[in-house]
Amino acid sequence: MLAGIGGFVDTGGVITATDAGASFHYSLAWTVVFGMIGFALFAEMSGRVAMSSTQPTWDVMRTRLGPKIGAIPLVISLVIHVLTLAVDLVGMGLALQLLLGVSYRVWVAAVALVLIVALWRFNFTAIDTGAALLGLLMLVAVAAMIKLSPDWGAMAKGLITPQVHEAPSNAKYLFGIAALLGAFMTPYQFDFYSSGVIEERWAERDLMRNRVVAITGTAFGAVVTLGLMAAGGKALYNRDVPVDTIRHAASPTAEAFGHTGLYLFIIGVLAVSLAASIELCLSGGYAMCQYYGWDWGKSAPARKAPAFNLIYVAMILVAAVIVLLPVNPISFTTVTMALGAAALPFTFIPLLLIANDRRVMGRQRNTRATNVLAIIVLSVLVCITVMTVPLLVITHGSF
């Protein structure tokens, strides 16, 4: 469940979910259900591949796809990792600006330095678990949804079927789908999860644990996301209030619980962004080191896996430079989430092929039902991949 807080809900998830509620009411609520199914399906698959092959996912991809073809999803994945890390640095900077003053750009530089030192010096479990526990404060969004009491019937309809008639335009509605799914199912989460399976030495006896963790963790994050969207829909829909700052994203919670709710929300955003940043940094190191056969892992001291640690240091520095460029942080967040959704097929298609490879998976290869669901999810994501660039041009990267 803690992984669901730091993965399914981070800066991108908070901004896009609240903005979707403000812009589309409950007409995009179904994306939370779709994202939950897709996330759980491919997370379980990535864990099962790691357990069955006893190899990290990227090691298996290089072996089965070859070094040239396998490098395509690797490069795309790392680019999205860095852009998403920049988004979470922005989230932490904006949260600290609201709490303590001073420009978010100053805080981004400070947070980047603290993140490098913390990851280099401290045990992964302590810092990630601490950040994820603080991230439980985001449950205040669920409490705000209940307190504000949205139209439960309309929300139930939105969860089951798309309500396109509530959208300002078809293009913005489609771009909203891309941004939300990119926020829910960013590629780093699957690298992080499968690598954790290897580091914790899960085996076939842990198949049920893998399934339970993938489903319950995702469901927990989805409930928080639905709270953000529903509270945004109730408090901000038809009020012409753009969600272009963390303060605006926090306004439904502030409306429900006053200053206490506001500060709980801001600290929650800071915490989930930190947890996501930790997972992003480690996922980038995992992916590259696994692909090229270098030593990797956070359980041992940094000197035992120097390339692994230098990779995430480089990622942090590049992400910080991106944030310090003269770009609108919220627009950058929305565009990055859409690009993340467009990149998902490049990770999911190889993973699906490997999960059906009898030589790798043996009796643990995908069932027919799993393949049917996976193909449905992939079909939607491939359509998003094709449409993302035209939609970015048409909508100017906003809802």
Side-chain angles (χ1 to χ4, degrees):
M1 292 197 300
L2 295 177
I5 284 287
F8 208 90
V9 183
D10 60 359
T11 298
V14 169
I15 294 296
T16 52
T18 308
D19 199 10
S23 301
F24 302 105
H25 209 210
Y26 311 121
S27 65
L28 282 171
W30 65 271
T31 62
V32 179
V33 177
F34 183 89
M36 180 180 70
I37 293 170
F39 185 106
L41 185 71
F42 281 93
E44 188 279 334
M45 202 183 301
S46 67
R48 181 159 39 85
V49 166
M51 282 186 285
S52 298
S53 65
T54 66
Q55 293 177 296
T57 300
W58 286 103
D59 191 357
V60 177
M61 282 194 184
R62 180 185 172 92
T63 302
R64 303 309 304 163
L65 301 178
K68 291 183 179 179
I69 296 177
I72 296 173
L74 175 67
V75 171
I76 293 172
S77 178
L78 288 174
V79 169
I80 297 300
H81 277 41
V82 172
L83 292 176
T84 308
L85 178 57
V87 166
D88 284 307
L89 290 179
V90 166
M92 289 186 281
L94 291 172
L96 287 167
Q97 178 178 303
L98 285 170
L99 291 172
L100 303 171
V102 186
S103 170
Y104 80 93
R105 295 180 190 276
V106 175
W107 286 119
V108 163
V111 165
L113 180 60
V114 169
L115 192 58
I116 289 171
V117 172
L119 283 169
W120 193 278
R121 295 280 299 173
F122 299 119
N123 179 275
F124 155 71
T125 303
I127 52 179
D128 187 60
T129 303
L133 284 170
L134 278 176
L136 292 173
L137 290 174
M138 287 308 301
L139 286 169
V140 72
V142 179
M145 172 184 69
I146 296 169
K147 179 75 179 294
L148 294 173
S149 187
D151 184 336
W152 298 107
M155 192 169 75
K157 287 181 181 178
L159 283 170
I160 298 170
T161 58
Q163 307 292 313
V164 185
H165 63 278
E166 292 187 353
S169 73
N170 289 337
K172 286 185 177 291
Y173 189 82
L174 291 172
F175 185 71
I177 294 171
L180 285 166
L181 292 182
F184 302 157
M185 296 194 291
T186 43
Y188 78 87
Q189 297 155 343
F190 306 97
D191 299 341
F192 181 79
Y193 184 70
S194 64
S195 299
V197 167
I198 296 295
E199 286 215 72
E200 294 189 4
R201 302 177 187 277
W202 287 14
E204 281 198 26
R205 65 180 180 276
D206 297 301
L207 284 167
M208 181 54 68
R209 177 203 268 189
N210 174 55
R211 190 170 295 119
V212 170
V213 168
I215 293 171
T216 57
T218 305
F220 193 54
V223 168
V224 175
T225 302
L226 185 61
L228 290 163
M229 188 181 293
K234 175 65 176 181
L236 301 175
Y237 184 61
N238 276 340
R239 296 191 187 179
D240 294 324
V241 179
V243 182
D244 55 7
T245 66
I246 295 292
R247 178 66 180 82
H248 287 151
S251 58
T253 307
E255 182 176 324
F257 301 114
H259 287 295
T260 301
L262 172 65
Y263 288 117
L264 286 175
F265 186 94
I266 293 170
I267 296 170
V269 171
L270 177 63
V272 295
S273 300
L274 175 59
S277 296
I278 292 166
E279 294 176 10
L280 274 158
C281 291
L282 298 182
S283 295
Y286 289 145
M288 186 166 285
C289 290
Q290 290 167 7
Y291 192 80
Y292 289 106
W294 301 333
D295 290 335
W296 59 275
K298 196 67 189 76
S299 301
R303 65 179 181 275
K304 295 288 184 68
F308 172 75
N309 290 276
L310 289 173
I311 288 166
Y312 67 67
V313 169
M315 288 175 61
I316 294 170
L317 294 176
V318 172
V321 169
I322 292 172
V323 173
L324 296 175
L325 294 174
V327 295
N328 181 291
I330 303 303
S331 297
F332 174 73
T333 296
T334 306
V335 170
T336 297
M337 295 304 98
L339 292 175
L344 283 170
F346 294 95
T347 299
F348 284 1
I349 290 173
L351 180 59
L352 181 60
L353 292 174
I354 292 167
N356 281 284
D357 190 329
R358 189 185 296 273
R359 291 170 294 178
V360 175
M361 301 298 295
R363 61 182 182 177
Q364 298 304 334
R365 65 179 182 160
N366 281 0
T367 63
R368 182 175 296 177
T370 298
N371 283 331
V372 169
L373 277 175
I375 290 170
I376 292 172
V377 171
L378 270 173
S379 298
V380 173
L381 294 175
V382 168
C383 290
I384 289 173
T385 300
V386 173
M387 294 187 303
T388 295
V389 172
L391 287 174
L392 280 170
V393 174
I394 295 169
T395 63
H396 304 291
S398 68
F399 293 167

